Amino acid sequence: MARASTYQGPVPSRPRSSTRRGSRGRGPGRPSVEKTILGVPERFMRPRLILIAVVVILTCFGFLMVYSASSVTSLTSEAMGNDPAYYLKRQLAFAAMGAGIAAFIASRDYHIWGKRLVGIIWALTIGLLLLIFLPIAGSDAYGATRWVAIGPLTLQPSEFAKITIILVAADQAERYYDEQAVGFQDFVKNLAVFVGVPLVLILLQPDKGSTLIIAATLIVMAYLAGMDRRWILIVLAVGVAAALVLSLKDDYSRARIVTMLDPWSDPTGSGYQLIQGFYAFGSGGLFGVGLGMSRQKYSYLPMAYNDFIFAVVGEELGLVGTLGVLAAFGVLAWAGFRIARYAPDMCGRLIAAGCTSLIVIQLLVNVCGVLGLIPLSGKPVPFVSYGGSTIMSCLMLVGVLVSVSAHSTLPETVHDRSRQSWQFADGQGEARGPATSGDPGISLAGTPTPRSSRPRGDAGPGLRMVDGGGRAHPQARPRGGGSRTGGRGSCEGERIDLGPSAAERLRGRGSGRGDGRRGRN
């Protein structure tokens, strides 16, 4: 008689035998690989792996271009020890720190960063942004106070504030649009405090480029959250008007606009850097002059390893190289938005979409500035340009994206809910716990139960399953005129006997034409 048990919930998978694993040549680490990669649905694992692969490729390509663009400058500088790899070594150190932080972020549930600790993260960010205004910590450079000097390290808090603003905005949007835990007035007040305050502090540095990138990212998140398009258009119009006013307010910003429109009006002054970038693109042509063979990096193009590294890519690798970089970021954008699409809640969707949008928008701001399509902003190319704060913050954004992907789950379907009612039964329905790994198997064949004897109540509905296979007592099936089994299932070795053949069951029972003994050999 087959053993029985009752089980509420999904059927646990039975591990393969060691003999079978050995026959296929699987190593001891294969089960963990299957659980980590092969056991994840394709819709989650594919964009995650593509995202990680593209980021690794872009970062390694950035190391190569930073070394190529900065080697001449650092080689001729005594302050840098005449070391051609000075900037490369620093970039490697910052990338290692950023990768470690990103791995830690990715290993934790994104709800920790976007829900539980978001208030603490916001307070720390405000503290860092306020720290740059203190004379003991602020470091002035290029007409702006954007850096904090902490010992040998120089960090830019606005780069890390971008991540905080994304987390805070996603949390507030979910509370208002999805959970409906706050009213409209409270929602606006929260945005003014948690999003507006860090934006104002960034703008006061001044850092108009970062403010523009964050504002554009917030508009994308608002659209995806379901905000009324009329409100989005109003906010967008107000933002453009405010940007124009701020750009025309001081001489430095007005000079950048004039330089964008006509760089040759001051070829040795404000337009010098942009003109040298044009020369770099023109020299590169279709396939470039060759990797490491740039001429503009010989002190002709200022900040060739940072703001204008895209121009060096165009000179050394040509149009093909620049299009390859843009294509890599296009793949990154696809992977990031796929992760956002399959996120389990609105908070995850907005966080993933915000992180992806910020990276792509910052790329476009740099590329368009180098090409003279918009005023120069001083924003580097993510993963490629030199900059400790930039590479660390970009890798942290990727860590948040991986966290969202790693903690995404398939939605429960009607079939999943149906499987919750499946039961195992011992004999006449005695309860047993979940099936263990030692059970020989599950069979849907067994002794039929009369309707009057079927269990009622909670155990009534659902599918009844009994263990089969080797646990049943083998009974030889009669052949060639043997006795009937009366419809009872029997087991012959590893095969389950379902009783008489279909032809015999159709003949029926009793006397006359329905006599089951007629027509037997």
Side-chain angles (χ1 to χ4, degrees):
M1 182 65 68
R3 246 184 5 153
S5 66
T6 58
Y7 173 56
Q8 301 288 343
V11 178
S13 59
R14 191 166 30 253
R16 297 185 179 94
S17 63
S18 59
T19 305
R20 190 173 180 182
R21 285 197 299 267
S23 63
R24 296 190 181 186
R26 296 176 177 173
R30 181 64 180 270
S32 61
V33 173
E34 289 180 347
K35 181 179 180 181
T36 304
I37 298 180
L38 302 181
V40 179
E42 182 268 347
R43 69 174 70 178
F44 301 140
M45 184 53 67
R46 175 191 281 186
R48 190 188 314 169
L49 294 179
I50 291 177
L51 174 70
I52 296 174
V54 171
V55 169
V56 170
I57 292 173
L58 284 174
T59 304
C60 294
F61 177 74
F63 294 151
L64 182 64
M65 294 310 303
V66 165
Y67 177 73
S68 175
S70 66
S71 57
V72 175
T73 301
S74 56
L75 180 64
T76 58
S77 174
E78 294 183 1
M80 301 173 188
N82 302 112
D83 183 6
Y86 174 82
Y87 287 101
L88 175 62
K89 293 176 182 177
R90 291 177 62 88
Q91 187 78 343
L92 288 171
F94 282 113
M97 289 189 291
I101 299 174
F104 176 77
I105 293 174
S107 64
R108 301 297 188 271
D109 190 345
Y110 67 93
H111 291 99
I112 297 177
W113 319 115
K115 288 288 187 181
R116 303 174 193 172
L117 300 180
V118 67
I120 299 176
I121 296 173
W122 181 85
L124 292 175
T125 302
I126 296 298
L128 285 175
L129 291 175
L130 291 175
L131 190 62
I132 65 176
F133 296 103
L134 299 179
I136 59 174
S139 177
D140 294 337
Y142 306 106
T145 306
R146 304 175 185 174
W147 289 264
V148 174
I150 305 176
L153 299 179
T154 302
L155 299 178
Q156 189 173 355
S158 61
E159 292 292 331
F160 304 99
K162 297 175 183 177
I163 307 174
T164 302
I165 293 176
I166 290 176
L167 296 177
V168 171
D171 178 41
Q172 295 299 324
E174 184 183 46
R175 293 179 62 190
Y176 176 70
Y177 288 103
D178 191 31
E179 300 175 355
Q180 297 181 352
V182 295
F184 179 74
Q185 293 183 352
D186 293 334
F187 174 62
V188 174
K189 292 178 182 178
N190 292 339
L191 288 181
V193 173
F194 295 109
V195 176
V197 171
L199 271 179
V200 170
L201 292 177
I202 293 173
L203 188 60
L204 291 176
Q205 296 179 6
D207 191 352
K208 299 182 184 69
S210 295
T211 305
L212 172 65
I213 294 170
I214 296 172
T217 302
L218 291 175
I219 291 176
V220 174
M221 295 175 65
Y223 174 78
L224 296 177
M227 179 180 287
D228 192 341
R229 296 184 180 180
R230 292 174 296 181
W231 282 103
I232 295 178
L233 293 176
I234 293 174
V235 172
L236 185 60
V238 173
V240 172
L244 290 176
V245 171
L246 293 174
S247 298
L248 298 176
K249 184 183 67 172
D250 54 84
D251 296 337
Y252 180 75
S253 299
R254 283 198 302 271
R256 287 194 169 189
I257 296 178
V258 173
T259 300
M260 175 198 69
L261 297 176
D262 187 10
W264 281 272
S265 62
D266 188 8
T268 59
S270 61
Y272 177 80
Q273 189 178 24
L274 188 58
I275 292 174
Q276 296 302 318
F278 290 163
Y279 288 159
F281 285 115
S283 301
L286 184 61
F287 296 104
V289 298
L291 186 63
M293 304 302 293
S294 169
R295 301 180 182 89
Q296 292 299 316
K297 67 184 180 181
Y298 284 85
S299 301
Y300 291 104
L301 180 62
M303 306 299 294
Y305 50 87
N306 193 321
D307 301 354
F308 272 72
I309 198 169
F310 192 72
V312 178
V313 173
E315 183 182 10
E316 294 188 352
L317 302 179
L319 178 64
V320 174
T322 57
L323 292 180
V325 172
L326 296 179
F329 277 97
V331 175
L332 185 148
W334 174 87
F337 282 112
R338 293 286 287 188
I339 291 174
R341 177 182 178 183
Y342 295 121
D345 52 18
M346 177 177 285
C347 182
R349 289 193 295 272
L350 294 181
I351 288 176
C355 294
T356 306
S357 300
L358 192 145
I359 293 174
V360 174
I361 292 172
Q362 181 167 325
L363 167 74
L364 295 178
V365 167
N366 177 276
V367 172
C368 292
V370 172
L371 295 176
L373 301 179
I374 63 174
L376 293 172
S377 62
K379 295 294 102 182
V381 178
F383 308 109
V384 179
S385 296
Y386 171 79
S389 300
T390 300
I391 189 66
M392 290 178 65
S393 63
C394 289
L395 291 175
M396 290 168 64
L397 288 171
V398 175
V400 176
L401 276 169
V402 174
S403 175
V404 174
S405 175
H407 294 88
S408 297
T409 56
L410 290 172
E412 186 182 31
T413 64
V414 64
H415 306 290
D416 298 324
R417 289 189 292 271
S418 176
R419 281 192 290 269
Q420 297 293 328
S421 64
W422 289 12
Q423 300 175 359
F424 294 107
D426 272 333
Q428 298 300 322
E430 297 178 3
R432 181 169 68 92
T436 61
S437 60
D439 290 339
I442 299 174
S443 173
L444 302 183
T447 304
T449 305
R451 185 182 299 273
S452 59
S453 302
R454 294 176 183 174
R456 300 176 179 274
D458 296 338
L463 182 64
R464 181 175 182 273
M465 300 178 291
V466 297
D467 293 342
R471 294 294 183 93
H473 298 286
Q475 298 177 4
R477 179 178 178 178
R479 300 180 181 272
S483 61
R484 293 174 173 272
T485 62
R488 288 181 176 269
S490 60
C491 179
E492 181 181 356
E494 293 296 329
R495 189 177 67 182
I496 298 175
D497 186 3
L498 298 179
S501 65
E504 292 175 341
R505 290 196 296 270
L506 289 174
R507 293 191 182 98
R509 302 174 182 271
S511 58
R513 293 188 61 183
D515 191 352
R517 291 173 294 181
R518 293 186 59 182
R520 304 184 103 185
N521 296 329

